Every structure is written in C-alpha cells, then in structure tokens.
C-alpha cells in the first residue's frame, strides 16, 4: 500500500504532480519538499512583467498560500533534498532529516549554466528564481547600461523588458540570429529586426570571452578584441538539470533523470517530471525539454503513473514567449538538420523526411495552432499560403 509519497521540488512540475495525486484519489501522506523559502511561484513572469514591476508578489504565486494545506499537502519550505537511496526508498534532506517513502516524484528542475572561464563579478546575473529577479530589478532601477549574454528565449525577454524600462541594452549572441534553436534562421532574423526596432544593440556572431571590472563588472570582452561597456550583465546561455543530489542514488542519470515513456525510472515507484526528466517520448525517443507546458503536463502524467496508470507521455511540445507587443510560439520538437520552410509571413515549418515535425511563429498563433494535428501525427508539410 502507498502510504507516503514525497515530491522533491515545489515548482510547476512538483505542484502539479502533488495536486494530481490528490485528484487521482491518493489519500496517504503527501510531502512536497522545496529548497526555496517562499511559496511556489511561476517563473515566466520573472523575465517579463515581474521584472518590469508590473506584477506583484501575490500574483507571482502558483497557488494561494493556504491551497496546499487545503489539499492535505505538507509543503516543507527551505527543505533541500541532499540525497536519495533508491534501494531503501529514503530521501535525506540537507538538515539531516530522513524521509522513507513509498512513492517519489523527482521534480528538481534545472539551473542556469555559467560560461566556462567567465568571472562572476558583482552586477552579473543569471535569472532563475524570484530572488534573482528581485535583485536584478533593484539593479535595473539604477538605470544602468545592460549587456545580455545569450540571445535565446530568456536573454531576448530580458533585453525586451530592459528596453521597456528605458535602459540601454546590448544583446550578444554567438549564433547568426536570435532564438535560432526554436525559431530557425529566418524567423530569428525577424526577431533581430524587432529588437533593433525597439532600440536594442543586437550583435549576432558575437563570442564573449571575458568580463572587465574590479569587484563590479563594467564590461564584456569579445573574441574580436572589442569591449562592450555595461553596468549590469545578464547571462542566459542555457540550463542544466538539477541532479547532483541524486549522484549516489542508484538511478540512471544522463543529462537528466532517465525515464521510460511513462516518466518512470527503472526503480518501481520513482518517477520524474519537468526540466529534470529525460524521458522516452514514444515518437521522438529520449528527450528533455525546459518549458512551462511540459512541466505542468509531465508533472500530472508522472503522478498518474505513480497511481498505477499506463499512459505514455507524448506531448506535441509547446513554447511561448512574449517580447514587446509580440507573441512568439513554437510547436513540436525541432532537431538540427530539419529543413526550415516559410509557410506564411511569420510562420516557419520544420520538415524531416518529408514530415512536418515542428513549427514556429511570430504573431501567428492561430495559424500555428492549425498545424498542431499535422505535427502531432507527423503529416506532410502543407504548402505556403502567403
Ligand atoms: C525567467 C524564466 C522565464 C521563463 N519563461 C518561459 C516562457 O515564457 N515560456 C515557457 O514555456 N517556459 C518558460 N520558462 C521555463 C519554465 O518556467 C520551466 O520550464 C519550468 O519552471 C520548469 O518547471 P520545473 O518544475 O520542472 O522546474 P523548476 O521551475 O526549475 O523548479 C524546480 C524546483 O525544485 C527546487 N529544487 C531543486 N533542487 C532541490 C532539492 N535538492 N530539494 C528540494 N527542492 C529542490 C528548486 O528550488 C525549484 O523550486 C521560463 C523560465 C525562467 C527561469
């Protein structure tokens, strides 16, 4: 009988898993461990409305503070899991507490990478937590010049928010255009134009090799020998899954917690979800993805597996980003080598072996969503319409 389920990580995947466990009829003890000291909150606003000062602390919360107790979920704040013994089914916290469990959901998410060799001076940030966003917002309030290192989704969003706040912004990206991994070259170039029109100094093909300043950063050095002056630097060069606490657990780790198509590890009763999970997508094979919709849906799917369901987790893949007044969306899972085809103005399809496997749009949500079924089934790529 399952008497105690422990969920490690109280963010999107963990909170949705805990709620789904209750919705699915689990009546036993349910403990939700959070390494953070504040009630679970949403991350997308951290680079957008919350950073801009347009969203309050209460609105950032995923649920009202009393929602957890109402569902009989024991939310342990400031309780970092420090180790797992999968064989004896025990989680150990950093405070030395040992928690035996019958079921375990691993939902420890991901953390920002820091470029090798780049010093970490005052005024240099990554953006993952509400605390990061508060500190960055306080620095932005001093009207600094800002350099953003990395033109992926988060870097581009931070650049847009900083411009909204009237700051001088330089956006540095090593690739030839922005958000290219998700959008492809042509739409990436459209994004470059949008940022330039909004006053960002976008420099693609720019490789950052160092930072200057004594104590506090005052600039970044580029491989071509030039220097970009900046009072604040935001680094957004990708994430890594948080699995260090699982090093001796006996679970298979390979850029994430390796799971089958049901989000289950090889150890019965242990599942993983969200940014930390590398699961076997029935159509795309082993994969890990770091996006909001996936964390929500996979948290719920992993919980159902724990309760005995046998439904493969096979999402279509959906990402959104807001920059200025523009809405950016992607569907599907694009791989390097997929052929990009412009399907309409602002809409690109990605084709593999003649099948439409992904698409991306800027201000083209309706048109993009019409492709959802085709992408899900790997159908033929439609003809260009505009
Ligand atoms: C600034 C920002 C903007 C974003 N914007 C978008 C967007 O516009 N669209 C989109 O699709 N996605 C966006 N994302 C991505 C999305 O927010 C993530 O994919 C999502 O938060 C992943 O949820 P998760 O629960 O898997 O992991 P996380 O949100 O990373 O949460 C993991 C939690 O586990 C905790 N934890 C870690 N280790 C331990 C431990 N040992 N013990 C206990 N707790 C632990 C962490 O403190 C954290 O609270 C954004 C992310 C960020 C950071």
């Amino acid at each position: 009988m399952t008497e105690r389920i422990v969920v490690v990580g109280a963010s999107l995947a963990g909170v949705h898993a805990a709620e789904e466990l209750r919705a699915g009829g689990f009546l036993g003890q349910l403990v939700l461990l959070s390494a953070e000291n504040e009630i679970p909150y949403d991350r997308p606003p951290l680079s957008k409305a919350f950073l801009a000062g347009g969203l309050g602390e209460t609105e950032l919360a995923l649920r009202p503070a009393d929602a957890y107790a109402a569902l009989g979920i024991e939310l342990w704040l400031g309780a970092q899991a420090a180790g797992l013994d999968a064989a004896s089914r025990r989680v150990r916290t950093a405070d030395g507490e040992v928690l035996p469990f019958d079921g375990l959901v691993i939902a420890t998410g991901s953390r920002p990478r820091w470029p090798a060799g780049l010093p970490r001076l005052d005024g240099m940030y990554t953006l993952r937590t509400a605390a990061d966003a508060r500190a960055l917002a306080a620095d932005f309030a001093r009207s600094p010049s800002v350099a953003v290192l990395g033109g992926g989704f988060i870097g581009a969003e931070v650049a847009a928010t900083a411009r909204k706040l009237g700051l001088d912004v330089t956006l540095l990206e090593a690739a030839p255009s922005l958000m290219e991994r998700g959008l492809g070259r042509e739409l990436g170039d459209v994004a470059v134009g949008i940022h330039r029109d909004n006053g960002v100094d976008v420099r693609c093909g720019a490789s950052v090799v160092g930072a200057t300043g004594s104590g506090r950063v005052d600039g970044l050095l580029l491989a071509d020998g030039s220097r970009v002056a900046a009072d604040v630097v935001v680094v957004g060069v990708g994430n890594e899954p948080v699995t260090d606490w699982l090093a001796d657990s006996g679970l298979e780790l390979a850029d994430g917690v390796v799971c089958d198509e049901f989000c289950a590890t090889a150890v019965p009763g242990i599942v993983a979800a969200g940014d930390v999970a590398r699961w076997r997508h029935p159509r795309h094979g082993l994969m890990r993805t770091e996006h909001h919709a996936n964390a929500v849906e996979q948290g719920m799917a992993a919980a159902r597996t724990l309760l005995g369901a046998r439904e493969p987790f096979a999402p279509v893949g959906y990402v959104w980003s807001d920059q200025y007044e523009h809405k950016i969306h992607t569907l599907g899972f694009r791989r390097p080598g997929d052929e990009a085809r412009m399907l309409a103005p602002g809409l690109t399809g990605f084709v593999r072996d003649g099948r439409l496997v992904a698409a991306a749009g800027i201000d083209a949500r309706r048109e993009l969503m019409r492709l959802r079924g085709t992408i899900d089934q790997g159908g033929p790529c439609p003809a260009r319409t505009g």
Side-chain angles (χ1 to χ4, degrees):
M1 196 172 87
T2 302
E3 291 177 349
R4 181 194 272 159
I5 295 179
V6 174
V7 180
V8 184
S11 186
L12 277 173
V15 167
H16 282 87
E19 289 176 343
E20 188 72 1
L21 286 167
R22 284 295 187 233
F26 175 64
L27 298 173
Q29 190 185 7
L30 185 48
V31 180
L32 181 54
L33 294 185
S34 176
E36 300 190 56
N37 279 308
E38 48 194 302
I39 61 161
Y41 55 87
D42 210 7
R43 289 181 208 278
L46 301 182
S47 49
K48 310 177 188 80
F50 187 71
L51 184 59
L55 187 86
E57 296 279 347
T58 322
E59 297 151 282
L60 194 63
L62 278 179
R63 304 283 180 264
D66 56 6
Y68 301 94
L71 283 177
I73 298 169
E74 295 178 29
L75 176 59
W76 294 18
L77 296 180
Q80 181 168 1
L84 165 69
D85 184 336
S88 68
R89 311 180 83 70
R90 283 179 163 77
V91 169
R92 182 173 41 81
T93 71
D95 292 339
E97 191 111 24
V98 174
L99 270 168
F101 61 80
D102 304 291
L104 177 72
V105 182
I106 296 170
T108 43
S110 62
R111 64 164 75 93
R113 292 182 201 275
W114 191 262
L118 187 72
R120 197 159 190 153
L121 304 172
D122 286 350
M124 295 177 81
Y125 295 87
T126 54
L127 183 52
R128 185 75 198 171
T129 65
D132 294 337
R134 288 183 199 110
L136 185 58
D139 235 345
F140 275 4
R142 287 192 271 269
S143 299
S145 57
V146 179
V148 180
L149 199 177
F153 282 110
I154 290 184
E157 288 171 4
V158 170
T161 301
R163 277 305 300 146
K164 259 193 198 167
L165 294 168
L167 307 178
D168 281 339
V169 182
T170 307
L171 179 52
L172 302 158
E173 167 57 50
S177 70
L178 294 177
M179 298 168 278
E180 205 174 306
R181 211 149 49 103
L183 302 186
R185 179 64 192 269
E186 281 181 77
L187 278 190
D189 285 347
V190 173
V192 170
I194 289 172
H195 280 271
R196 288 196 174 134
D197 288 349
N198 280 280
V200 176
D201 178 1
V202 182
R203 302 196 198 174
C204 293
S207 175
V208 172
V209 293
T212 58
S214 62
R216 187 170 175 102
V217 72
D218 62 20
L220 289 176
L221 295 171
L222 307 192
D224 65 4
S226 63
R227 179 175 167 274
V228 172
D231 311 307
V232 168
V233 169
V234 183
V235 175
V237 294
N239 293 323
E240 61 190 11
V242 178
T243 54
D244 36 1
W245 67 284
L246 296 167
D248 303 320
S249 63
L251 294 182
E252 185 183 354
L253 305 175
D255 184 35
V257 177
V258 176
C259 299
D260 64 14
E261 66 270 45
F262 306 107
C263 312
T265 68
V267 180
I270 302 184
V271 297
D275 285 16
V276 77
R278 175 171 291 279
W279 91 103
R280 189 170 296 284
H281 191 296
R283 288 186 304 283
H284 302 286
L286 263 188
M287 61 180 298
R288 191 173 72 77
T289 177
E290 297 171 354
H291 296 292
H292 196 276
N294 186 72
V296 169
E297 293 167 10
Q298 198 171 22
M300 296 166 76
R304 290 194 292 271
T305 292
L306 217 44
L307 295 178
R310 296 291 283 172
E311 305 155 15
F313 181 59
V316 178
Y318 172 73
V319 179
W320 87 91
S321 175
D322 299 339
Q323 295 167 35
Y324 314 100
E325 70 280 18
H326 299 285
K327 308 278 181 204
I328 301 175
H329 297 93
T330 74
L331 275 180
F333 300 104
R334 187 187 166 212
R335 280 196 213 140
D338 291 342
E339 181 203 340
R341 287 190 202 164
M342 283 307 267
L343 300 178
L347 184 66
T348 298
F350 298 100
V351 181
R352 193 183 310 151
D353 303 327
R355 297 175 304 117
L356 186 70
V357 290
I362 299 182
D363 301 326
R365 186 174 191 277
R366 203 164 352 123
E367 296 81 351
L368 185 82
M369 285 305 170
R370 284 197 201 112
L371 299 173
R372 194 185 169 97
T374 311
I375 290 171
D376 197 22
Q377 289 145 29
C381 184
R384 186 180 173 127
T385 56

